Amino acid sequence: MAKLKRRSFLKAGAISAAAAAIPFKLSMKDYQKAIADEPTKKIPTTCNGCASMCGIYAYIKNDRLVRVEGHPVHAKSRGRLCARGHGMAADIYGKGRVTSPMKKVAEGEFEPISWDQAFDEIGEKLNGVIDQHGGNSVMWLEHGVRGLRYAEQLLDRIGSSNYVTHYSTCFSAKTNAWQQMVGGMLNGDHENSKYMIFEGRNFAGGIIPHGMNQITKAKENGAKIVVIDPKYSEIAKIADDWIPIRPGTDLALRLAMAHVLINENLYDKSYVKKYVDGFEEYWHENKDKTPEWAEEITGIAASKIREISRELAANAPKAFIEPGWHGLHAHYINSTQTAQMGVILNALLGNFYREGGLMPSAGVDFGEVLLRDVVEVEKGPRADGAGIEGQRMTVETGRGIAQTVPDMIENDKVKALFVYHFNPLRTAPDPEYQKKMKNAELVVSIPVDWNETSVYAADYILPESYYLERTEVPTQVAGHTSHLYPQISIRQKVAEPMHDTLPLLDIMRGITHAMGHTGMYGLTVEDEIDQMLEPVGVSRSDLLEKGTVELRSNKIEPIFPTDMNGNPNIGTHSGKIQFSGEIYRIDGKKGIPTWVAPKVSPDPSKDDEFRLIHGKQPYHSHHVTSNNPKLVRITEKYNGTAMWMNKKRADRLGIKDGETVTITSDLASKSVPVKVTELVHPECVWISSAYGGFSDRLETAYNLGVNYNDFIKAEVEPFSGAVMSQEVVVKVRKGADV
Amino acid sequence: MEATAVKNHYQSLIKLFAEFYKYPDEAFMEEFKNGTIEDEINTMSSIYSSAFDEEINLQHFIDQEHNLQKQFMKAFSGISKPFTPPVESLYKQWSADTASAKPLASKKGYYMGDSALHMKHLLHHYQLDIPENFTMTPDHLVIELEFYAFLIEEDMDAAMTFRDEHLNWISDFEAALQQLNDIPFYQEVTKRLSQLLMVNPTDGFKREE
């Protein structure tokens, strides 16, 4: 009898059995009893459930992660963690991850390859693209900005200016306006505030655990909370007043509120005189934007506009309109002007750099990392036109335009594309259009799971190690919440990689070395950490042990920054808060905000037309978490995939709660269950941003609900480059699509 | 046939079945094509009248479109979904340590469960190295079958305990495979494995003795 040659995997080892920590237990049950008493290690690191990077403790028992909890010091968690943080941690042992480098062998088909093969092939192809089309034809597209430190080393070496983040699909109208007008982002000092308006800002949806603690504490101390949103969002549940505004008209409301403050002399005149540039010009432009004018546009009674404006003024400077994030700031053609009005309203209240108003993030000066083998090559123009006169001059070059990358490929501006920690095929408009990314000569996706971009556009998938399996450089705790002292935190490896994955640094080293740049990425992450921490006065070992360290230097004081001569100096054109965007003016646009109507609006005479709006749920980070079984159980519990429709409008269409409806735009027609409710504005329908997975490799997310990006075209808001994701009118009808 | 020979046959069969759950390389494909594998299985299994209800003929579960490698990748690798890796942890409650492993303890479908830890413990005790690719999945079927074969040689009582505690998920695995399309080879092989594992090798010895 012929015999098969066995490929025995188990081999006798050199280790001694005596080294075992647990006495030998043949029986599984005996073993389980024995290991139950083993000690648990508590290792600090950071969460990845959203972009907040809350500090966490990972509990490791018997060399595996058993649970996580919020870090008690970290200013965003303070001992607490949201559902996403718990859910994402469990995915370390889930089945949804890409387990090794993959190479596309046919449309939608991949084969596993070794890292060496992946590096060699990608390096060779990249060199070919650069030889033929120049380094500027290579683009790095990512969520931002975690990959920047490694991406820019490659881009500098090959001479590419094309670093693009997802921000244009998320909030770039805000950062664009605020950077010019205030010199950066300030955060609500929620805990010390007496009056907070959350307009298009669902702080309890895009939840930051300690941020919510601060808000609820302020409420306990008597603060009033007003929520202005077409949908009764999670933050509305703790509000004193919910004002359902007609979507797309927040700019009109803000103009009218400013009108009340100025016209009724309620604004902080001395503050404005001292710290504001462009007040007169603003007022000259907007004297006619009365509450009555806004009432017709917004659907909010003029009396209510006056009421909240007066209340804001009465509580100033411990009052603010929350600076906001995704909501409003990537949604409409007037998003940039709406963001500008966020600055102007708050400035009229005199609340910048004031306790209970808006405060900056406490800063840390990390040391510079001295890279080895640095060769900078002259770069060509950006493919997205950001910052270029005559193109998208007013768009921030540090963020760029993510949604039109397929056009850049079509127009031969981009030939090779890296997509890191970002899934534009699902989270940018028009997935069929986004799929055209695959037409680049080389597409490399660096994800952790089988996201849509990897499956439908990538030539190579290079899986990054899970966030609990890798160490990264320290970061400053900043954004969205206010805290007096600067904090630094670090993400560190708490468990061995489950699969054949690598951290980004190792991936970049492998690719560039295969390209022939063998000196690049010569530092280890530990080298980088040491150099960054050198001037901070915290050692690597100390930071790794504590996870988050609060420094007692650079305390934030409620003082408007000034130069040595005592003049305002906040990094803007004038050093003051500017009521005009200088770059807009230079580009021939209007620098002062005034009314811009939404680009499209539903026809009120048509019963089936609605504006499609979307928002976050506290148990998902857009689509990133929707393949998590634990979090999807929450979705199921709360009927999270349902489209919200106002009851009066539903009645007119004969639609009942729980039925299936079909949403149709110029691009798509999809069916979803409907939640019929009074808690959404009659002129819009609302869906969560979390769903609509179409990668069949994501078992839990696949075909779960619909996504707003299915219905919208890839457009570009002219000021900030944002995506205008709510400039869409859909038709809704009863019944499923057939 | 002598008891030792019977035991050796059973052990060889188990090892041979372990081969099926390793990536089918060219050599394996060749030996499969020329019938070597089926011959070996049928010859060795004939001594166990109760093992298989009929002779194994695996050739007709393969065709050009659904060759062995494609079926393997589809069933186990995750490059297409659904898939169902042959790893014990995925089919069992993750941990009995419900006190400290709170979110996951009672769940199924996750790697690195208690069975993985126990496998590490067992392999360590017997001074067997875990292959690099299986470091985080020591409870992979390949490792468990090879270890089972090892125990049959070393300590039959231990082998039986191991079979009862660590190879008792195969029916769930088999059921999961039945839910997948276009992998008839692995459905058939796993059905046969399940049958083989029902056999108590010591019964065979007693009969022969």
Side-chain angles (χ1 to χ4, degrees):
Chain A
M1 178 186 68
K3 290 188 83 173
L4 172 73
K5 286 177 193 150
R6 307 290 200 269
R7 301 167 289 172
S8 295
F9 282 6
L10 277 185
K11 311 268 189 224
I15 50 165
S16 161
I22 309 270
F24 177 62
K25 305 287 179 190
L26 174 66
S27 156
M28 176 80 170
K29 280 183 183 161
D30 292 343
Y31 177 74
Q32 285 172 320
K33 275 183 204 159
I35 62 170
D37 297 328
E38 284 296 288
T40 303
K41 274 189 291 184
K42 189 174 158 186
I43 305 175
T45 184
T46 58
C47 183
N48 205 47
C50 71
S52 291
M53 293 180 73
C54 285
I56 57 173
Y57 278 126
Y59 286 82
I60 307 294
K61 186 174 180 182
N62 301 304
D63 294 329
R64 67 178 176 180
L65 178 81
V66 290
R67 66 188 169 94
V68 291
E69 69 178 21
H71 193 290
V73 173
H74 197 281
K76 293 191 179 180
S77 49
R78 293 263 199 239
R80 296 195 179 193
L81 200 57
C82 72
R84 296 168 299 176
H86 291 289
M88 290 296 282
D91 271 357
I92 189 174
Y93 301 128
K95 269 176 41 177
R97 295 173 54 188
V98 182
T99 53
S100 72
M102 296 283 166
K103 179 183 180 179
K104 181 177 170 181
V105 290
E107 208 56 50
E109 285 186 31
F110 293 85
E111 69 176 16
I113 57 174
S114 69
W115 281 104
D116 284 345
Q117 184 184 344
F119 292 149
D120 287 346
E121 291 185 12
I122 291 169
E124 185 182 343
K125 287 180 183 182
L126 208 49
N127 278 339
V129 166
I130 294 164
D131 287 346
Q132 198 174 348
H133 307 287
N136 209 48
S137 66
V138 178
M139 173 177 279
W140 183 278
L141 178 63
E142 72 163 79
H143 176 279
V145 290
R146 206 172 299 157
L148 174 62
R149 65 182 303 104
Y150 299 129
E152 67 183 354
Q153 294 174 43
L154 170 67
L155 298 178
D156 287 348
R157 169 57 73 102
I158 62 177
S160 174
S161 56
N162 290 310
Y163 172 80
V164 178
T165 67
H166 94 294
Y167 296 140
S168 62
T169 67
C170 192
F171 58 71
S172 58
K174 181 203 168 181
T175 53
N176 193 301
W178 280 61
Q179 189 63 43
Q180 291 184 67
M181 297 170 73
V182 204
M185 309 305 126
L186 281 80
N187 315 300
D189 182 10
H190 304 97
E191 190 168 346
N192 295 308
S193 179
K194 292 179 179 170
Y195 196 96
M196 292 176 266
I197 292 182
F198 292 85
E199 185 183 7
R201 171 64 153 158
N202 183 10
F203 211 99
I207 192 168
I208 297 171
H210 185 57
M212 279 309 297
N213 284 350
Q214 291 175 312
I215 292 166
T216 51
K217 192 171 175 190
K219 188 171 167 62
E220 285 165 15
N221 290 336
K224 182 168 180 179
I225 295 173
V226 176
V227 169
I228 301 167
D229 199 307
K231 184 206 174 214
Y232 186 80
S233 63
E234 282 78 8
I235 189 76
K237 292 176 184 173
I238 62 161
D240 298 279
D241 202 354
W242 169 54
I243 303 170
I245 189 171
R246 175 176 290 132
T249 67
D250 299 85
L251 173 59
L253 172 67
R254 290 182 171 194
L255 287 163
M257 289 170 71
H259 191 280
V260 174
L261 295 177
I262 299 170
N263 192 49
E264 297 186 11
N265 277 317
L266 300 174
Y267 71 102
D268 188 333
K269 282 183 274 305
S270 63
Y271 188 93
V272 166
K273 189 175 177 186
K274 196 170 176 184
Y275 297 124
V276 167
D277 179 69
F279 173 80
E280 294 299 334
E281 193 186 347
Y282 171 81
W283 183 230
H284 177 75
E285 189 77 44
N286 291 295
K287 270 182 182 168
D288 57 344
K289 303 301 181 291
T290 62
E292 284 71 21
W293 165 81
E295 177 177 323
E296 195 173 328
I297 296 171
T298 62
I300 301 171
S303 58
K304 176 58 81 175
I305 297 172
R306 287 200 170 85
E307 176 191 315
I308 57 174
S309 305
R310 290 167 183 165
E311 287 179 352
L312 262 178
N315 289 285
K318 295 194 173 198
F320 57 78
I321 289 202
E322 228 284 337
W325 204 235
H326 176 66
L328 301 186
H329 295 136
H331 288 7
Y332 304 108
I333 197 163
N334 60 23
S335 281
T336 298
Q337 290 77 16
T338 306
Q340 286 185 280
M341 285 309 300
V343 171
I344 289 170
L345 272 173
N346 282 308
L348 290 172
L349 297 170
N351 67 13
F352 283 92
Y353 300 95
R354 302 285 282 272
E355 190 179 279
L358 303 182
M359 295 285 281
S361 291
V364 179
D365 293 322
F366 284 119
E368 188 184 349
V369 174
L370 299 173
L371 301 172
R372 297 169 188 163
D373 193 28
V374 176
V375 179
E376 289 219 22
V377 176
E378 189 179 348
K379 296 176 179 178
R382 287 181 63 93
D384 59 7
I388 299 174
E389 195 173 350
Q391 296 185 38
R392 303 285 184 188
M393 183 179 171
T394 57
V395 173
E396 295 171 279
T397 54
R399 304 185 195 276
I401 301 172
Q403 65 268 29
T404 54
V405 170
D407 278 354
M408 301 171 212
I409 293 167
E410 176 77 21
N411 297 333
D412 293 328
K413 291 179 178 174
V414 174
K415 293 289 182 182
L417 177 66
F418 286 86
V419 187
Y420 170 64
H421 196 59
F422 182 34
N423 180 20
L425 262 66
R426 180 60 289 171
T427 60
D430 189 356
E432 289 306 313
Y433 166 76
Q434 298 297 337
K435 278 182 187 173
K436 292 179 183 171
M437 277 181 193
K438 70 181 179 188
N439 295 334
E441 289 181 20
L442 173 66
V443 180
V444 178
S445 180
I446 307 174
V448 293
D449 64 7
W450 287 92
N451 65 29
E452 285 76 5
T453 303
S454 301
V455 172
Y456 295 105
D459 298 304
Y460 293 90
I461 307 172
L462 305 183
E464 189 182 28
S465 297
Y466 208 55
Y467 68 97
L468 296 159
E469 299 168 342
R470 62 183 197 247
T471 298
E472 296 179 355
V473 296
T475 54
Q476 175 183 323
V477 179
H480 304 293
T481 61
S482 189
H483 48 101
L484 292 179
Y485 291 98
Q487 294 189 342
I488 56 173
S489 68
I490 194 161
R491 170 170 291 164
Q492 66 177 308
K493 177 178 172 179
V494 301
E496 288 302 316
M498 260 308 298
H499 305 290
D500 188 11
T501 57
L502 290 175
L504 182 60
L505 173 59
D506 292 355
I507 293 173
M508 298 309 291
R509 187 183 294 120
I511 291 171
T512 49
H513 287 204
M515 291 170 74
H517 305 308
T518 51
M520 289 186 70
Y521 301 96
L523 300 178
T524 64
V525 72
E526 288 78 18
D527 296 333
E528 295 185 61
I529 295 168
D530 288 342
Q531 292 189 27
M532 287 178 72
L533 290 178
E534 201 272 327
V536 179
V538 176
S539 69
R540 171 158 51 100
S541 59
D542 201 26
L543 186 56
L544 291 173
E545 185 191 332
K546 292 175 178 161
T548 299
V549 172
E550 183 161 284
L551 306 172
R552 286 286 142 176
S553 57
N554 296 346
K555 183 186 175 190
I556 288 298
E557 300 288 352
I559 299 169
F560 202 97
T562 54
D563 62 19
M564 292 173 72
N565 299 318
N567 298 316
N569 184 21
I570 56 170
T572 59
H573 177 68
S574 63
K576 298 179 178 181
I577 298 168
Q578 301 225 175
F579 277 16
S580 172
E582 281 306 303
I583 192 76
Y584 308 149
R585 205 197 303 258
I586 291 166
D587 194 38
K589 298 180 168 80
K590 205 176 257 296
I592 291 282
T594 190
W595 175 239
V596 176
K599 192 175 172 210
V600 298
S601 290
D603 182 341
S605 71
K606 293 181 177 167
D607 283 349
D608 63 346
E609 278 197 7
F610 299 83
R611 184 184 296 279
L612 176 65
I613 68 169
H614 64 271
K616 256 187 158 180
Q617 294 168 322
Y619 41 92
H620 282 297
S621 287
H622 302 303
H623 184 55
V624 175
T625 54
S626 61
N627 197 47
N628 184 286
K630 180 185 165 83
L631 298 177
V632 167
R633 275 196 290 277
I634 306 177
T635 296
E636 289 161 357
K637 183 175 178 183
Y638 292 102
N639 192 19
T641 57
M643 180 196 83
W644 287 34
M645 176 184 260
N646 182 272
K647 184 166 187 317
K648 282 181 190 160
R649 296 292 303 273
D651 288 347
R652 265 191 250 166
L653 293 168
I655 292 169
K656 293 187 172 52
D657 187 50
E659 288 184 335
T660 299
V661 295
T662 299
I663 312 170
T664 304
S665 76
D666 293 345
L667 287 185
S669 187
K670 302 213 167 195
S671 300
V672 281
V674 64
K675 174 187 170 92
V676 174
T677 173
E678 306 284 358
L679 300 177
V680 66
H681 194 280
E683 294 171 26
C684 62
V685 286
W686 178 93
I687 54 176
S688 161
S689 60
Y691 310 109
F694 61 91
S695 163
D696 59 7
R697 274 87 165 173
L698 299 175
E699 284 181 293
T700 306
Y702 184 56
N703 273 343
L704 179 68
V706 299
N707 193 285
Y708 67 93
N709 284 299
D710 291 331
F711 302 97
I712 61 175
K713 293 174 186 167
E715 296 188 300
V716 179
E717 186 257 285
F719 283 70
S720 69
V723 80
M724 300 193 290
S725 54
Q726 292 187 174
E727 292 285 15
V728 59
V729 173
V730 297
K731 288 182 181 293
V732 178
R733 66 173 173 78
K734 184 172 175 164
D737 207 6
V738 283
Chain B
M1 192 180 287
E2 287 182 6
T4 307
V6 173
K7 186 175 75 173
N8 289 344
H9 270 91
Y10 187 85
Q11 197 186 11
S12 287
L13 261 179
I14 293 295
K15 282 187 185 172
L16 195 147
F17 269 84
E19 295 296 314
F20 287 123
Y21 299 95
K22 299 168 187 171
Y23 183 74
D25 60 17
E26 293 306 319
F28 183 86
M29 300 266 279
E30 190 54 41
E31 298 209 62
F32 180 75
K33 262 188 221 162
N34 65 28
T36 307
I37 296 173
E38 283 158 311
D39 283 352
E40 193 176 342
I41 293 174
N42 286 325
T43 304
M44 290 192 295
S45 63
S46 63
I47 61 164
Y48 293 102
S49 55
S50 60
F52 303 132
D53 43 16
E54 56 188 20
E55 275 210 340
I56 281 186
N57 180 358
L58 297 170
Q59 298 288 344
H60 66 273
F61 294 105
I62 304 288
D63 58 38
Q64 200 159 10
E65 195 185 344
H66 303 107
N67 70 29
L68 256 182
Q69 288 173 337
K70 279 189 180 172
Q71 289 197 45
F72 181 94
M73 295 304 288
K74 188 172 173 56
F76 306 135
S77 75
I79 62 166
S80 64
K81 300 283 170 63
F83 75 121
T84 190
V87 177
E88 184 183 359
S89 284
L90 297 173
Y91 303 88
K92 291 188 170 173
Q93 179 182 318
W94 195 66
S95 179
D97 187 3
T98 51
S100 57
K102 281 175 187 167
L104 278 183
S106 61
K107 306 287 188 306
K108 285 185 178 179
Y110 290 93
Y111 290 106
M112 279 298 279
D114 286 352
S115 34
L117 300 187
H118 191 221
M119 278 303 297
K120 269 190 184 177
H121 175 76
L122 293 174
L123 295 170
H124 182 87
H125 174 78
Y126 286 98
Q127 299 179 49
L128 295 168
D129 282 345
I130 303 170
E132 195 180 336
N133 290 348
F134 295 86
T135 307
M136 301 303 283
T137 52
D139 52 345
H140 191 284
L141 187 52
V142 164
I143 304 300
E144 292 198 340
L145 289 177
E146 287 196 6
F147 184 61
Y148 181 40
F150 167 85
L151 286 179
I152 289 169
E153 174 69 34
E154 295 287 315
D155 180 345
M156 187 57 80
D157 288 342
M160 291 301 92
T161 302
F162 180 79
R163 184 195 68 164
D164 294 346
E165 293 192 344
H166 276 284
L167 290 166
N168 55 354
W169 55 280
I170 302 303
S171 56
D172 290 339
F173 173 53
E174 187 188 349
L177 282 169
Q178 291 301 328
Q179 303 300 312
L180 309 187
N181 297 322
D182 303 327
I183 52 148
F185 178 84
Y186 287 100
Q187 287 167 336
E188 177 65 14
V189 163
T190 305
K191 188 179 93 180
R192 298 299 190 150
L193 172 65
S194 192
Q195 290 171 351
L196 182 63
L197 291 172
M198 301 280 280
V199 172
N200 185 334
T202 57
D203 288 348
F205 309 150
K206 283 171 193 162
R207 269 206 306 277
E208 294 301 324
E209 283 162 0

